[in-house]
PDB file of all heavy atoms in Angstrom:
ATOM      1  N   ALA A   1      92.903  66.963  82.900  1.00 94.00           N
ATOM      2  CA  ALA A   1      93.824  67.100  81.762  1.00 94.00           C
ATOM      3  C   ALA A   1      95.205  66.555  82.102  1.00 94.00           C
ATOM      4  O   ALA A   1      95.797  65.790  81.324  1.00 94.00           O
ATOM      5  CB  ALA A   1      93.911  68.564  81.349  1.00 94.00           C
ATOM      6  N   CYS A   2      95.741  66.930  83.251  1.00 94.00           N
ATOM      7  CA  CYS A   2      97.087  66.479  83.638  1.00 94.00           C
ATOM      8  C   CYS A   2      97.113  64.981  83.928  1.00 94.00           C
ATOM      9  O   CYS A   2      98.106  64.306  83.623  1.00 94.00           O
ATOM     10  CB  CYS A   2      97.577  67.268  84.853  1.00 94.00           C
ATOM     11  SG  CYS A   2      97.934  68.995  84.512  1.00 94.00           S
ATOM     12  N   ALA A   3      96.031  64.452  84.502  1.00 92.00           N
ATOM     13  CA  ALA A   3      95.966  63.012  84.769  1.00 92.00           C
ATOM     14  C   ALA A   3      95.958  62.223  83.465  1.00 92.00           C
ATOM     15  O   ALA A   3      96.621  61.181  83.349  1.00 92.00           O
ATOM     16  CB  ALA A   3      94.725  62.695  85.604  1.00 92.00           C
ATOM     17  N   ILE A   4      95.230  62.706  82.466  1.00 92.00           N
ATOM     18  CA  ILE A   4      95.200  62.031  81.159  1.00 92.00           C
ATOM     19  C   ILE A   4      96.589  62.049  80.520  1.00 92.00           C
ATOM     20  O   ILE A   4      97.055  61.040  79.979  1.00 92.00           O
ATOM     21  CB  ILE A   4      94.159  62.708  80.242  1.00 92.00           C
ATOM     22  CG1 ILE A   4      92.750  62.417  80.748  1.00 92.00           C
ATOM     23  CG2 ILE A   4      94.323  62.236  78.798  1.00 92.00           C
ATOM     24  CD1 ILE A   4      91.663  63.180  80.015  1.00 92.00           C
ATOM     25  N   ILE A   5      97.262  63.197  80.581  1.00 93.00           N
ATOM     26  CA  ILE A   5      98.610  63.297  80.016  1.00 93.00           C
ATOM     27  C   ILE A   5      99.562  62.356  80.742  1.00 93.00           C
ATOM     28  O   ILE A   5     100.384  61.667  80.109  1.00 93.00           O
ATOM     29  CB  ILE A   5      99.113  64.748  80.090  1.00 93.00           C
ATOM     30  CG1 ILE A   5      98.264  65.651  79.196  1.00 93.00           C
ATOM     31  CG2 ILE A   5     100.579  64.834  79.676  1.00 93.00           C
ATOM     32  CD1 ILE A   5      98.569  67.123  79.341  1.00 93.00           C
ATOM     33  N   ALA A   6      99.476  62.306  82.081  1.00 90.00           N
ATOM     34  CA  ALA A   6     100.354  61.427  82.857  1.00 90.00           C
ATOM     35  C   ALA A   6     100.161  59.968  82.465  1.00 90.00           C
ATOM     36  O   ALA A   6     101.137  59.220  82.277  1.00 90.00           O
ATOM     37  CB  ALA A   6     100.085  61.616  84.353  1.00 90.00           C
ATOM     38  N   CYS A   7      98.906  59.548  82.307  1.00 88.00           N
ATOM     39  CA  CYS A   7      98.626  58.159  81.916  1.00 88.00           C
ATOM     40  C   CYS A   7      99.104  57.878  80.490  1.00 88.00           C
ATOM     41  O   CYS A   7      99.688  56.824  80.215  1.00 88.00           O
ATOM     42  CB  CYS A   7      97.133  57.879  82.030  1.00 88.00           C
ATOM     43  SG  CYS A   7      96.500  57.900  83.726  1.00 88.00           S
ATOM     44  N   ALA A   8      98.875  58.836  79.591  1.00 88.00           N
ATOM     45  CA  ALA A   8      99.281  58.649  78.195  1.00 88.00           C
ATOM     46  C   ALA A   8     100.796  58.515  78.083  1.00 88.00           C
ATOM     47  O   ALA A   8     101.303  57.644  77.361  1.00 88.00           O
ATOM     48  CB  ALA A   8      98.781  59.817  77.352  1.00 88.00           C
ATOM     49  N   VAL A   9     101.524  59.368  78.813  1.00 87.00           N
ATOM     50  CA  VAL A   9     102.991  59.314  78.782  1.00 87.00           C
ATOM     51  C   VAL A   9     103.488  58.007  79.381  1.00 87.00           C
ATOM     52  O   VAL A   9     104.425  57.382  78.857  1.00 87.00           O
ATOM     53  CB  VAL A   9     103.590  60.523  79.520  1.00 87.00           C
ATOM     54  CG1 VAL A   9     105.095  60.360  79.682  1.00 87.00           C
ATOM     55  CG2 VAL A   9     103.281  61.806  78.771  1.00 87.00           C
ATOM     56  N   MET A  10     102.851  57.558  80.463  1.00 84.00           N
ATOM     57  CA  MET A  10     103.297  56.335  81.132  1.00 84.00           C
ATOM     58  C   MET A  10     103.131  55.123  80.214  1.00 84.00           C
ATOM     59  O   MET A  10     104.002  54.247  80.150  1.00 84.00           O
ATOM     60  CB  MET A  10     102.513  56.133  82.424  1.00 84.00           C
ATOM     61  CG  MET A  10     102.972  54.921  83.232  1.00 84.00           C
ATOM     62  SD  MET A  10     102.092  54.780  84.809  1.00 84.00           S
ATOM     63  CE  MET A  10     100.418  54.523  84.228  1.00 84.00           C
ATOM     64  N   PHE A  11     102.017  55.047  79.488  1.00 81.00           N
ATOM     65  CA  PHE A  11     101.799  53.909  78.602  1.00 81.00           C
ATOM     66  C   PHE A  11     102.667  53.984  77.352  1.00 81.00           C
ATOM     67  O   PHE A  11     103.039  52.961  76.777  1.00 81.00           O
ATOM     68  CB  PHE A  11     100.326  53.819  78.211  1.00 81.00           C
ATOM     69  CG  PHE A  11      99.445  53.344  79.329  1.00 81.00           C
ATOM     70  CD1 PHE A  11      98.440  54.145  79.843  1.00 81.00           C
ATOM     71  CD2 PHE A  11      99.633  52.082  79.883  1.00 81.00           C
ATOM     72  CE1 PHE A  11      97.633  53.710  80.878  1.00 81.00           C
ATOM     73  CE2 PHE A  11      98.831  51.627  80.927  1.00 81.00           C
ATOM     74  CZ  PHE A  11      97.827  52.449  81.427  1.00 81.00           C
ATOM     75  N   ARG A  12     102.998  55.204  76.935  1.00 80.00           N
ATOM     76  CA  ARG A  12     103.812  55.361  75.735  1.00 80.00           C
ATOM     77  C   ARG A  12     105.290  55.156  76.033  1.00 80.00           C
ATOM     78  O   ARG A  12     106.017  54.570  75.236  1.00 80.00           O
ATOM     79  CB  ARG A  12     103.581  56.751  75.146  1.00 80.00           C
ATOM     80  CG  ARG A  12     104.313  56.986  73.848  1.00 80.00           C
ATOM     81  CD  ARG A  12     103.991  58.361  73.277  1.00 80.00           C
ATOM     82  NE  ARG A  12     104.723  58.593  72.040  1.00 80.00           N
ATOM     83  CZ  ARG A  12     104.660  59.724  71.341  1.00 80.00           C
ATOM     84  NH1 ARG A  12     103.878  60.711  71.761  1.00 80.00           N
ATOM     85  NH2 ARG A  12     105.359  59.863  70.238  1.00 80.00           N
ATOM     86  N   ARG A  13     105.729  55.678  77.189  1.00 75.00           N
ATOM     87  CA  ARG A  13     107.136  55.543  77.561  1.00 75.00           C
ATOM     88  C   ARG A  13     107.200  55.026  78.994  1.00 75.00           C
ATOM     89  O   ARG A  13     107.169  55.774  79.947  1.00 75.00           O
ATOM     90  CB  ARG A  13     107.844  56.903  77.457  1.00 75.00           C
ATOM     91  CG  ARG A  13     109.354  56.796  77.515  1.00 75.00           C
ATOM     92  CD  ARG A  13     109.996  58.155  77.424  1.00 75.00           C
ATOM     93  NE  ARG A  13     109.806  58.928  78.646  1.00 75.00           N
ATOM     94  CZ  ARG A  13     110.225  60.184  78.799  1.00 75.00           C
ATOM     95  NH1 ARG A  13     110.808  60.804  77.814  1.00 75.00           N
ATOM     96  NH2 ARG A  13     110.025  60.823  79.933  1.00 75.00           N
ATOM     97  N   LYS A  14     107.261  53.719  79.110  1.00 73.00           N
ATOM     98  CA  LYS A  14     107.201  53.106  80.425  1.00 73.00           C
ATOM     99  C   LYS A  14     108.418  53.477  81.261  1.00 73.00           C
ATOM    100  O   LYS A  14     109.548  53.476  80.769  1.00 73.00           O
ATOM    101  CB  LYS A  14     107.113  51.585  80.290  1.00 73.00           C
ATOM    102  CG  LYS A  14     105.803  51.122  79.651  1.00 73.00           C
ATOM    103  CD  LYS A  14     105.700  49.605  79.632  1.00 73.00           C
ATOM    104  CE  LYS A  14     104.362  49.182  79.036  1.00 73.00           C
ATOM    105  NZ  LYS A  14     104.214  47.719  79.013  1.00 73.00           N
ATOM    106  N   PRO A  15     108.193  53.796  82.548  1.00 69.00           N
ATOM    107  CA  PRO A  15     109.320  54.154  83.432  1.00 69.00           C
ATOM    108  C   PRO A  15     110.275  52.983  83.610  1.00 69.00           C
ATOM    109  O   PRO A  15     109.871  51.812  83.638  1.00 69.00           O
ATOM    110  CB  PRO A  15     108.627  54.504  84.757  1.00 69.00           C
ATOM    111  CG  PRO A  15     107.201  54.790  84.396  1.00 69.00           C
ATOM    112  CD  PRO A  15     106.896  53.921  83.219  1.00 69.00           C
ATOM    113  N   GLU A  16     111.549  53.326  83.714  1.00 68.00           N
ATOM    114  CA  GLU A  16     112.562  52.299  83.915  1.00 68.00           C
ATOM    115  C   GLU A  16     112.635  51.853  85.370  1.00 68.00           C
ATOM    116  O   GLU A  16     113.090  50.756  85.659  1.00 68.00           O
ATOM    117  CB  GLU A  16     113.931  52.835  83.479  1.00 68.00           C
ATOM    118  CG  GLU A  16     113.997  53.176  81.987  1.00 68.00           C
ATOM    119  CD  GLU A  16     115.342  53.760  81.604  1.00 68.00           C
ATOM    120  OE1 GLU A  16     116.196  53.922  82.503  1.00 68.00           O
ATOM    121  OE2 GLU A  16     115.548  54.069  80.411  1.00 68.00           O
ATOM    122  N   SER A  17     112.204  52.712  86.272  1.00 68.00           N
ATOM    123  CA  SER A  17     112.292  52.395  87.693  1.00 68.00           C
ATOM    124  C   SER A  17     110.904  52.143  88.274  1.00 68.00           C
ATOM    125  O   SER A  17     109.930  52.835  87.929  1.00 68.00           O
ATOM    126  CB  SER A  17     112.963  53.552  88.448  1.00 68.00           C
ATOM    127  OG  SER A  17     112.899  53.350  89.835  1.00 68.00           O
ATOM    128  N   ASN A  18     110.806  51.156  89.148  1.00 74.00           N
ATOM    129  CA  ASN A  18     109.543  50.880  89.836  1.00 74.00           C
ATOM    130  C   ASN A  18     109.177  52.001  90.808  1.00 74.00           C
ATOM    131  O   ASN A  18     108.019  52.106  91.227  1.00 74.00           O
ATOM    132  CB  ASN A  18     109.643  49.556  90.595  1.00 74.00           C
ATOM    133  CG  ASN A  18     109.692  48.368  89.649  1.00 74.00           C
ATOM    134  OD1 ASN A  18     109.142  48.428  88.543  1.00 74.00           O
ATOM    135  ND2 ASN A  18     110.347  47.300  90.072  1.00 74.00           N
ATOM    136  N   ARG A  19     110.161  52.821  91.162  1.00 76.00           N
ATOM    137  CA  ARG A  19     109.901  53.918  92.088  1.00 76.00           C
ATOM    138  C   ARG A  19     108.915  54.926  91.481  1.00 76.00           C
ATOM    139  O   ARG A  19     108.102  55.516  92.184  1.00 76.00           O
ATOM    140  CB  ARG A  19     111.206  54.619  92.444  1.00 76.00           C
ATOM    141  CG  ARG A  19     111.073  55.681  93.519  1.00 76.00           C
ATOM    142  CD  ARG A  19     112.428  56.102  94.037  1.00 76.00           C
ATOM    143  NE  ARG A  19     113.308  56.557  92.966  1.00 76.00           N
ATOM    144  CZ  ARG A  19     114.564  56.943  93.156  1.00 76.00           C
ATOM    145  NH1 ARG A  19     115.088  56.908  94.378  1.00 76.00           N
ATOM    146  NH2 ARG A  19     115.299  57.339  92.139  1.00 76.00           N
ATOM    147  N   VAL A  20     108.971  55.107  90.163  1.00 77.00           N
ATOM    148  CA  VAL A  20     108.024  56.001  89.489  1.00 77.00           C
ATOM    149  C   VAL A  20     106.604  55.467  89.638  1.00 77.00           C
ATOM    150  O   VAL A  20     105.666  56.223  89.948  1.00 77.00           O
ATOM    151  CB  VAL A  20     108.401  56.158  88.009  1.00 77.00           C
ATOM    152  CG1 VAL A  20     107.344  56.977  87.270  1.00 77.00           C
ATOM    153  CG2 VAL A  20     109.772  56.805  87.869  1.00 77.00           C
ATOM    154  N   TYR A  21     106.426  54.155  89.441  1.00 78.00           N
ATOM    155  CA  TYR A  21     105.104  53.548  89.610  1.00 78.00           C
ATOM    156  C   TYR A  21     104.613  53.728  91.045  1.00 78.00           C
ATOM    157  O   TYR A  21     103.426  54.014  91.280  1.00 78.00           O
ATOM    158  CB  TYR A  21     105.143  52.058  89.269  1.00 78.00           C
ATOM    159  CG  TYR A  21     105.300  51.759  87.802  1.00 78.00           C
ATOM    160  CD1 TYR A  21     106.488  51.238  87.311  1.00 78.00           C
ATOM    161  CD2 TYR A  21     104.261  52.004  86.910  1.00 78.00           C
ATOM    162  CE1 TYR A  21     106.640  50.955  85.954  1.00 78.00           C
ATOM    163  CE2 TYR A  21     104.403  51.728  85.554  1.00 78.00           C
ATOM    164  CZ  TYR A  21     105.593  51.209  85.091  1.00 78.00           C
ATOM    165  OH  TYR A  21     105.735  50.936  83.749  1.00 78.00           O
ATOM    166  N   LEU A  22     105.516  53.562  92.001  1.00 81.00           N
ATOM    167  CA  LEU A  22     105.140  53.697  93.407  1.00 81.00           C
ATOM    168  C   LEU A  22     104.687  55.129  93.710  1.00 81.00           C
ATOM    169  O   LEU A  22     103.669  55.337  94.378  1.00 81.00           O
ATOM    170  CB  LEU A  22     106.329  53.317  94.294  1.00 81.00           C
ATOM    171  CG  LEU A  22     106.098  53.409  95.813  1.00 81.00           C
ATOM    172  CD1 LEU A  22     104.967  52.471  96.231  1.00 81.00           C
ATOM    173  CD2 LEU A  22     107.378  53.061  96.563  1.00 81.00           C
ATOM    174  N   MET A  23     105.425  56.112  93.187  1.00 82.00           N
ATOM    175  CA  MET A  23     105.072  57.510  93.442  1.00 82.00           C
ATOM    176  C   MET A  23     103.755  57.871  92.763  1.00 82.00           C
ATOM    177  O   MET A  23     102.935  58.604  93.325  1.00 82.00           O
ATOM    178  CB  MET A  23     106.197  58.425  92.969  1.00 82.00           C
ATOM    179  CG  MET A  23     107.492  58.258  93.765  1.00 82.00           C
ATOM    180  SD  MET A  23     108.827  59.335  93.215  1.00 82.00           S
ATOM    181  CE  MET A  23     108.255  60.915  93.805  1.00 82.00           C
ATOM    182  N   LEU A  24     103.515  57.359  91.555  1.00 83.00           N
ATOM    183  CA  LEU A  24     102.230  57.585  90.884  1.00 83.00           C
ATOM    184  C   LEU A  24     101.092  56.935  91.662  1.00 83.00           C
ATOM    185  O   LEU A  24      99.979  57.482  91.721  1.00 83.00           O
ATOM    186  CB  LEU A  24     102.280  57.045  89.462  1.00 83.00           C
ATOM    187  CG  LEU A  24     103.077  57.874  88.463  1.00 83.00           C
ATOM    188  CD1 LEU A  24     103.228  57.124  87.145  1.00 83.00           C
ATOM    189  CD2 LEU A  24     102.398  59.218  88.222  1.00 83.00           C
ATOM    190  N   LEU A  25     101.368  55.787  92.263  1.00 87.00           N
ATOM    191  CA  LEU A  25     100.355  55.117  93.089  1.00 87.00           C
ATOM    192  C   LEU A  25     100.023  55.965  94.316  1.00 87.00           C
ATOM    193  O   LEU A  25      98.852  56.060  94.719  1.00 87.00           O
ATOM    194  CB  LEU A  25     100.867  53.733  93.510  1.00 87.00           C
ATOM    195  CG  LEU A  25      99.867  52.831  94.240  1.00 87.00           C
ATOM    196  CD1 LEU A  25      98.676  52.528  93.330  1.00 87.00           C
ATOM    197  CD2 LEU A  25     100.537  51.534  94.688  1.00 87.00           C
ATOM    198  N   VAL A  26     101.028  56.604  94.894  1.00 87.00           N
ATOM    199  CA  VAL A  26     100.807  57.485  96.044  1.00 87.00           C
ATOM    200  C   VAL A  26      99.943  58.683  95.619  1.00 87.00           C
ATOM    201  O   VAL A  26      99.007  59.076  96.330  1.00 87.00           O
ATOM    202  CB  VAL A  26     102.150  57.958  96.632  1.00 87.00           C
ATOM    203  CG1 VAL A  26     101.924  59.063  97.664  1.00 87.00           C
ATOM    204  CG2 VAL A  26     102.900  56.793  97.259  1.00 87.00           C
ATOM    205  N   VAL A  27     100.256  59.259  94.457  1.00 88.00           N
ATOM    206  CA  VAL A  27      99.459  60.384  93.940  1.00 88.00           C
ATOM    207  C   VAL A  27      98.009  59.958  93.755  1.00 88.00           C
ATOM    208  O   VAL A  27      97.068  60.678  94.143  1.00 88.00           O
ATOM    209  CB  VAL A  27     100.048  60.901  92.610  1.00 88.00           C
ATOM    210  CG1 VAL A  27      99.097  61.888  91.942  1.00 88.00           C
ATOM    211  CG2 VAL A  27     101.400  61.557  92.845  1.00 88.00           C
ATOM    212  N   ALA A  28      97.784  58.770  93.174  1.00 88.00           N
ATOM    213  CA  ALA A  28      96.423  58.268  92.961  1.00 88.00           C
ATOM    214  C   ALA A  28      95.710  58.035  94.289  1.00 88.00           C
ATOM    215  O   ALA A  28      94.509  58.319  94.417  1.00 88.00           O
ATOM    216  CB  ALA A  28      96.469  56.985  92.137  1.00 88.00           C
TER     217      ALA A  28
END
């Protein structure tokens, strides 16, 4: 459930910083 929400939010409101993408990649 939380992974789906995280992906939905990311595609709807893209992060301004690449650091967010990097941290999400670490989580994955």
